[in-house]
């Protein structure tokens, strides 16, 4: 088993338009491999953002997974999640519109 660090971060814009990552929380997850921890964190991330209370409780911009040596493993961005959701809704709307035009 390996220890992985999961870090919730917020983007802070600094002078000159640079972006700095501000760690909000960090916790460890034990997993047999990187794929396992990525799947676990991904499920948690999607559940957290799909919650009706997400806009009130989600205060981070990204979740980053690091291995026990501090090397980057994966990241999940809040903006990326909402963009995927938007694209899925738009695709369903377009499919419904095409069906109604052909009917």
């Amino acid at each position: 088993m390996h220890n992985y660090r999961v870090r919730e971060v917020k983007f802070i814009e600094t002078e000159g338009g640079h972006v700095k990552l501000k760690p909000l929380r960090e916790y460890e997850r034990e997993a047999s491999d990187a794929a396992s921890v990525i799947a676990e964190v991904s499920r948690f991330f999607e559940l957290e953002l799909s919650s009706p209370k997400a806009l009130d409780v989600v205060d981070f911009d990204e979740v980053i997974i690091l291995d026990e040596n501090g090397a980057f493993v994966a990241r999940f961005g809040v903006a990326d999640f909402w963009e995927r959701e938007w694209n899925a809704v738009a695709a369903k709307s377009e499919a419904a519109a095409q069906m109604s035009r052909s009917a």
Side-chain angles (χ1 to χ4, degrees), residues 64-85:
I64 300 170
I65 302 173
L66 306 170
D67 70 10
E68 50 197 14
N69 298 318
F72 172 83
V73 175
R75 66 172 271 286
F76 302 97
V78 172
D80 298 334
F81 172 83
W82 288 116
E83 184 177 345
R84 279 193 317 274
E85 289 295 305

Side-chain angles (χ1 to χ4, degrees), residues 27-42:
Y27 46 94
E28 285 192 8
R29 285 284 181 254
E30 195 174 270
S32 58
D33 58 17
S36 299
V37 76
I38 289 169
E40 179 185 343
V41 172
S42 175

